[in-house]
Amino acid sequence: MTRRENELPTNHQIRQAVAAVASSVDLEETSFKKIQRLVAEKLGVAIEDLAPQKRFIKKCVERETEKIDGAAAPTEKEIYEAAKKLALKVDLQATTFERFVKLLEDKMDAEDLAASKPMIREVYEDGRKLEAKITKEVKKLATSSRVDLNNISTHEFLNLMQEKFRDIDLSPKKDLIGRTLAKFKRKHHAGAHDSAPRSDISTSQGTNSTNKRGNPIDINEALAVSMRCGARDNTIKGEKGVVANPKRSLDLEQGCKIPEAAGLKWVDDFFDN
């Protein structure tokens, strides 16, 4: 059974498979095509799936041949220099030490760097300290008077940062600096939005609103009128037959004959004032 396409082997797995094949066959007497087929069988994939990795497999076979011939392993100095270069390219805050070692092994095409782990860890920790220092300087510069967060670009900010780190090329850490700067920009914009003056709704409405005659409306008075009208409407609606069925309502002439209605005024000037 072969693996699915999204589960193709990594370089580390291919290197291990080549090493296993090399221990069972004579590399100098075996064709590369057969070695490639044996590697595919070790990995559980079709030989066609390894086509994109053909050059890498050939390189692994050559390295295994050199081992057989007594080729020297990478020196401590070579591992140290490779680790320093890798530490500048990788986001160490998001990369574990174990992952860093595997990346270094892939980069150097080395079988096992266990013996050099103490030195590699030193480079790894130094790299993390450098990233922490860079982040601190980004925060310091972003809050200084030299920077206008509304208009400065990442490239311009990187140039200002480079003035503080004259001995280190910060271009490999451009993404780290850009992400940190973006956080400060978001905080700055959020702070500016929260501090913006807000108008008093009741005051502005009371000042700017007018009635049909062009006179200013007092909000409090209007609310009181609205509440009285609402209560009056509810009372009228509660009296069955008066509003719901206008035909049953009393006309003016009949209403005047009712004793209780003798003193009522029929001119409605409630809203004139």
Side-chain angles (χ1 to χ4, degrees), residues 135-145 157 164 184:
T135 302
K136 183 178 179 180
E137 289 298 330
V138 169
K139 295 178 180 179
K140 186 176 179 181
L141 182 59
T143 55
S144 70
S145 59
F157 192 86
K164 294 180 174 290
F184 268 87

Side-chain angles (χ1 to χ4, degrees), residues 46-235:
I47 191 171
E48 294 81 8
D49 294 335
L50 293 179
Q53 300 290 340
K54 184 176 180 180
R55 292 181 61 184
F56 180 72
I57 295 173
K58 185 173 291 187
K59 187 176 180 180
C60 291
V61 172
E62 291 173 355
R63 187 169 184 82
E64 290 298 324
T65 304
E66 291 175 357
K67 285 182 180 180
I68 295 173
D69 294 338
T75 64
E76 286 286 299
K77 184 178 180 180
E78 291 173 338
I79 296 173
Y80 177 77
E81 293 297 331
K84 285 188 66 176
K85 290 180 181 179
L86 183 61
L88 285 174
K89 295 180 180 179
V90 177
D91 183 356
L92 297 177
Q93 301 298 327
T95 306
T96 63
F97 175 68
E98 290 74 16
R99 174 62 178 164
F100 182 76
V101 173
K102 286 189 177 297
L103 291 173
L104 185 59
E105 288 176 347
D106 285 342
K107 183 177 180 60
M108 298 192 68
D109 194 23
E111 182 65 24
D112 188 6
L113 297 178
S116 302
K117 276 189 175 182
M119 181 266 292
I120 297 173
R121 181 175 287 280
E122 183 180 342
V123 174
Y124 174 81
E125 294 298 338
D126 287 344
R128 286 173 62 88
K129 290 178 183 178
L130 175 61
E131 285 190 351
K133 184 178 180 181
I134 290 173
T135 302
K136 183 178 179 180
E137 289 298 330
V138 169
K139 295 178 180 179
K140 186 176 179 181
L141 182 59
T143 55
S144 70
S145 59
R146 298 183 62 190
V147 173
D148 179 2
L149 290 176
N150 293 322
N151 299 311
I152 194 167
S153 66
T154 302
H155 179 72
E156 293 170 335
F157 192 86
L158 180 63
N159 289 338
L160 292 176
M161 284 289 296
Q162 192 63 71
E163 294 178 5
K164 294 180 174 290
F165 294 85
R166 298 183 182 275
D167 300 331
I168 302 173
D169 180 14
L170 293 180
S171 56
K173 295 297 182 183
K174 181 178 179 180
D175 291 341
L176 172 65
I177 294 172
R179 288 196 305 270
T180 309
L181 177 62
K183 290 180 182 178
F184 268 87
K185 285 186 175 182
R186 287 194 294 269
K187 289 181 180 179
H188 174 72
H189 293 154
H193 177 73
D194 292 340
S195 61
R198 299 180 181 179
S199 58
D200 188 298
I201 296 176
S202 61
T203 304
S204 62
Q205 287 182 343
T207 304
N208 298 329
S209 301
T210 57
N211 59 16
K212 292 182 178 180
R213 297 181 181 182
N215 298 323
I217 297 176
D218 186 285
I219 293 298
N220 295 328
E221 182 180 348
L223 289 174
V225 171
S226 176
M227 291 176 66
R228 289 199 298 271
C229 290
R232 182 168 173 266
D233 289 344
N234 291 335
T235 302

